[in-house]
């Protein structure tokens, strides 16, 4: 079975995300675009993951509970989990490792988390688009230790990417690399060496109109997407990612 | 030194000139935005090669007077637009961060 997936979505919790990006609104946008499997990935926090899970289940979308984590080197790494509780473990560790740079909502944007009926539960005090004091290697190993998928974000972009910060795609436990433009497509950088890792694209949506753009096809073969408990089967997705194009 | 004096002093080009002309409190040089976010000075200037709009967000957070982009890095339009909205001056120069920092150190430190 080939499914449609979007692994990079920001909600109203990200200061740069539009306030209209509630988990429920994101799920509705995904459903309208036929997305089957989707990950919420706010900057350094998973606090909107529970509401996203509920909204996705109601919209018949399989949720992944993710974070776009920022390492000490300022690399953005998508860390995706099968349940909100596991994502929350990494979220709390990132919060503790972030510097005490506080958000200024009126300047930088709101960082609110909500329940599944869009009631605001609270806001995060630290500014979320900063680096946790964890090395790329430590962060990736921790996400894998928690059973997650680990995917460096937008590696072909000039900011917050492996290439912009380190000059190249370094080796790591990457299940895939997210690119904005697949090799050979318009806008793709012919000089980018993705080192043979599987490649995906995703929306990096911060606004409703971007939800589901660049969604990618994932061939699950005959493997069910969910395990017996109804959660996304991370190992089946990992195997499916390994079948994605590598160039 | 005021922000408006930077272009002539450095031989730099001002690419975003809608700003309130204030006295510069000092400078900080870094290409790691999270470091700049923690350590740049309010009403200071940031010397960097990070030519993208996320750098403007640091400027907003730290109330910077100006961002000076080195090595003639291409400044994308959305960075100029963001800086204009925030009233942060943007300069670009062919010189590197070492040279710009060295020129500014005697007058700002």
């Amino acid at each position: 079975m080939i499914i449609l997936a979007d692994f990079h979505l920001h909600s109203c919790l990200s200061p740069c995300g539009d306030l209209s990006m509630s988990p429920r609104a994101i799920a509705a946008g995904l459903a309208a675009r036929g997305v089957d499997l989707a990950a919420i990935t706010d900057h350094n926090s998973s606090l909107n993951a529970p509401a996203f899970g509920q909204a996705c289940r109601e919209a018949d979308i399989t949720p992944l509970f993710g974070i776009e984590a920022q390492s000490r080197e300022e690399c953005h790494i998508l860390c995706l989990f099968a349940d909100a509780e596991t994502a929350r473990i990494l979220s709390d560790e990132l919060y503790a490792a972030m510097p005490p740079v506080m958000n200024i909502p009126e300047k930088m944007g709101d960082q609110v988390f909500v329940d599944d009926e869009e009631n605001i539960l609270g806001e995060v005090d630290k500014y979320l688009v900063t680096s946790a004091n964890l090395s790329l290697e430590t962060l990736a190993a921790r996400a894998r230790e928690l059973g997650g998928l680990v995917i460096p974000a937008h590696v072909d972009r000039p900011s917050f990417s492996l290439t912009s910060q380190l000059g190249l795609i370094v080796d790591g436990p990457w299940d895939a690399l997210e690119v904005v433009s697949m090799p050979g497509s318009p806008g793709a950088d012919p000089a980018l060496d993705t080192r043979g890792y599987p490649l995906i694209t995703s929306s990096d949506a911060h606004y409703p109109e971007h939800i589901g753009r660049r969604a990618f096809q994932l061939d699950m073969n005959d493997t069910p997407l969910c395990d017996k408990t109804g959660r996304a089967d991370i190992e089946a997705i990992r195997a499916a990612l390994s079948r994605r194009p590598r160039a | 030194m005021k922000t408006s004096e930077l272009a002539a002093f450095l031989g730099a080009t001002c690419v975003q000139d809608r700003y309130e002309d204030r006295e510069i409190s000092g400078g900080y040089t870094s290409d790691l935005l999270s470091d700049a976010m923690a350590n740049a000075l309010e009403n200071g200037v940031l010397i960097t090669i990070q030519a993208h709009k996320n750098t403007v967000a640091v400027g907003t957070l730290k109330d910077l007077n100006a961002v000076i982009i080195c090595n003639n890095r291409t400044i994308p339009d959305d960075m100029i637009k963001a800086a204009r909205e925030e009233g942060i001056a943007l300069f670009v120069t062919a010189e590197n961060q070492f040279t710009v920092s060295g020129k500014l150190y005697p007058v700002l430190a």
Side-chain angles (χ1 to χ4, degrees):
Chain A
M1 185 181 52
I2 294 176
I3 62 168
L4 193 61
D6 186 345
F7 280 4
H8 194 161
L9 292 148
H10 291 272
S11 76
C12 51
L13 176 57
S14 294
C16 40
D18 198 65
L19 207 53
S20 68
M21 290 287 273
S22 69
R24 186 161 294 278
I26 296 170
L30 291 164
R33 287 160 184 80
V35 174
D36 304 292
L37 173 67
I40 186 169
T41 53
D42 284 302
H43 292 291
N44 280 352
S45 178
S46 74
L47 289 176
N48 264 342
F52 181 72
Q54 181 62 30
C56 280
R57 278 185 280 269
E58 289 173 21
D60 205 21
I61 296 162
T62 301
L64 286 169
F65 303 92
I67 299 171
E68 185 177 25
Q70 185 172 322
S71 73
R72 186 188 288 158
E73 301 86 348
E74 277 178 8
C75 299
H76 283 184
I77 309 294
L78 302 173
C79 305
L80 313 180
F81 304 95
D83 58 77
E85 294 74 22
T86 309
R88 180 64 188 269
I89 294 171
L90 184 63
S91 180
D92 288 348
E93 291 175 3
L94 290 167
Y95 183 87
M98 281 163 54
V101 174
M102 297 298 147
N103 187 36
I104 306 171
E106 60 274 22
K107 283 187 173 183
M108 312 306 291
D110 294 301
Q111 299 185 154
V112 298
F113 52 98
V114 299
D115 66 14
D116 53 17
E117 291 173 342
E118 305 188 334
N119 300 304
I120 293 176
L121 297 175
E123 53 188 311
V124 179
D125 55 356
K126 287 183 181 176
Y127 183 55
L128 287 171
V129 193
T130 185
S131 294
N133 192 13
L134 301 170
S135 70
L136 179 65
E137 202 173 17
T138 304
L139 171 67
R142 180 59 178 147
R144 278 303 285 263
E145 184 182 39
L146 289 167
L149 301 166
V150 185
I151 302 173
H154 42 64
V155 298
D156 51 349
R157 263 187 33 193
S159 56
F160 296 127
S161 70
L162 291 185
T163 48
S164 76
Q165 300 310 114
L166 308 176
L168 75 166
I169 306 294
V170 294
D171 279 331
W174 321 131
D175 292 297
L177 306 175
E178 183 206 25
V179 293
V180 177
S181 308
M182 287 295 284
S185 68
D189 176 5
L192 178 69
D193 180 1
T194 52
R195 310 274 314 276
Y197 287 102
L199 305 176
I200 66 164
T201 58
S202 281
S203 68
D204 198 0
H206 290 72
Y207 296 91
E209 60 268 31
H210 295 153
I211 294 168
R213 70 175 170 180
R214 302 194 292 261
F216 68 100
Q217 293 192 330
L218 192 59
D219 185 356
M220 298 300 295
N221 280 351
D222 298 328
T223 321
L225 178 56
C226 295
D227 64 17
K228 286 171 191 160
T229 65
R231 303 182 316 170
D233 185 334
I234 293 288
E235 295 314 317
I237 295 168
R238 206 188 307 279
L241 285 170
S242 74
R243 295 189 284 271
R244 284 282 305 170
R246 290 168 187 263
Chain B
M1 175 181 276
K2 286 188 141 184
T3 309
S4 57
E5 298 170 65
L6 280 171
F9 184 79
L10 292 172
T13 306
C14 184
V15 294
Q16 198 303 96
D17 61 4
R18 290 187 209 165
Y19 56 86
E20 184 193 341
D21 196 18
R22 301 181 295 191
E23 201 64 31
I24 301 169
S25 66
Y28 195 71
T29 305
S30 184
D31 296 321
L32 263 189
L33 295 189
S34 50
D35 172 50
M37 210 177 279
N39 296 311
L41 298 172
E42 270 190 26
N43 300 138
V45 297
L46 175 64
I47 299 155
T48 186
I49 54 168
Q50 292 285 11
H52 50 80
K53 67 177 181 182
N54 302 292
T55 311
V56 177
V58 177
T60 303
L61 199 67
K62 301 300 286 191
D63 202 11
L64 295 179
N65 284 20
V67 174
I68 302 167
I69 300 294
C70 298
N71 283 353
N72 264 343
R73 290 263 181 147
T74 305
I75 299 183
D77 290 342
D78 62 353
M79 183 183 191
I80 295 174
K81 182 168 172 279
R84 182 168 298 149
E85 283 167 8
E86 297 294 332
I88 296 167
L90 264 187
F91 298 89
V92 63
T93 171
E95 291 174 340
N96 66 26
Q97 302 96 304
F98 175 79
T99 306
V100 173
S101 302
K103 282 182 170 179
L104 287 176
Y105 184 79
V107 289
L108 294 183

